[in-house]
Amino acid sequence: MSETGFKARDFGLRAQKKILGRMANKNVAKMFIDDTTAGLLDSLYQMIKLFCGSKKEAENIVKNIIKIVIKIGILYRNGQFDNEEALWAVHFKKRFRSAAMAIISFHEVDFSYDRPYLLTAIKESQAALRCLVQNHLTDKSLSRIDLVYNFFLNPAFFDAIFKRHSDFSPLLARFVTDLNRSLDEGGM
């Protein structure tokens, strides 16, 4: 740290996170989110909207996901994670990937839905993500993470989407297709 306590790089990083966090719309998101991920988010938005019956709530959750992804992308691109945080990143990726693979399996294999396994994987990915970013993000951003995860930790959501022949079936099929594509492309 310099004598004045000011570092241009640190200030620049904070400014990037703040500006992009406020501008997290489709145009900015395109810089950080590829077409496959955008498709995933669109399908997810539709499922959340159908489950909640609220366009506003669905938009809020997806916008928070985008803001989180953008901020983590900025931190990663600027080499802000130390060795311990890099281990948390690996753990997060592993648990998040486990949850994604479980969703694919539950969709593709009838009667395989295992709510406790899925919720455990989601909880563990949340804990790893918080450990990864807690030294870099504000309390407001951390609360965004919790808001998103708390929605997905609601067992009623997964019970609804994995119910056979539900209104969610076509949306889930599209989501799983994009999820498979993302995994094949190395996005997760």
Side-chain angles (χ1 to χ4, degrees):
M1 181 161 280
S2 65
E3 288 180 27
T4 62
F6 176 83
K7 282 187 162 182
R9 182 169 190 216
D10 292 343
F11 178 77
L13 183 63
R14 283 194 315 271
Q16 281 182 32
K17 289 191 303 188
K18 188 167 192 113
I19 290 168
L20 290 175
R22 289 186 179 184
M23 296 173 47
N25 59 35
K26 286 187 178 185
N27 295 328
V28 173
K30 286 180 185 178
M31 295 182 342
F32 292 90
I33 298 173
D34 61 24
D35 290 339
T36 303
T37 305
L40 277 169
L41 291 172
D42 288 342
S43 298
L44 188 60
Y45 165 79
Q46 292 296 328
M47 287 190 291
I48 295 168
K49 182 179 166 191
L50 181 60
F51 177 75
C52 296
S54 169
K55 177 181 173 183
K56 184 177 180 179
E57 186 172 355
E59 286 176 356
N60 187 40
I61 291 169
V62 172
K63 282 180 183 180
N64 282 331
I65 291 170
I66 292 169
K67 287 178 181 183
I68 293 163
V69 168
I70 289 171
K71 289 181 181 188
I72 293 170
I74 290 169
L75 290 168
Y76 176 76
R77 288 182 181 168
N78 286 287
Q80 296 298 300
F81 298 125
D82 62 25
N83 290 338
E84 183 180 342
E85 290 165 338
L87 293 174
W88 282 113
V90 169
H91 183 64
F92 165 73
K93 187 173 182 176
K94 183 185 287 186
R95 294 314 298 157
F96 192 81
R97 186 176 172 84
S98 292
M101 296 295 289
I103 289 169
I104 292 168
S105 175
F106 300 157
H107 172 70
E108 293 177 348
V109 180
D110 287 341
F111 307 108
S112 63
Y113 172 51
D114 183 352
R115 180 199 307 158
Y117 176 83
L118 185 56
L119 294 179
T120 298
I122 292 170
K123 285 177 191 173
E124 290 175 358
S125 76
Q126 177 185 20
L129 181 58
R130 283 189 61 89
C131 288
L132 172 64
V133 299
Q134 68 187 355
N135 295 327
H136 303 281
L137 299 182
T138 64
D139 288 341
K140 184 175 181 180
S141 292
L142 293 173
S143 69
R144 277 192 182 104
I145 290 170
D146 292 339
L147 180 119
V148 168
Y149 272 94
N150 288 340
F151 176 82
F152 292 108
L153 288 170
N154 176 357
F157 176 71
F158 288 111
D159 290 348
I161 67 169
F162 288 115
K163 183 179 178 184
R164 292 179 47 88
H165 309 297
S166 74
D167 292 341
F168 292 93
S169 296
L171 296 171
L172 182 59
R174 190 169 68 226
F175 180 78
V176 166
T177 298
D178 287 337
L179 195 54
N180 268 318
R181 186 177 309 126
S182 182
L183 289 167
D184 289 344
E185 294 171 359
M188 286 188 195

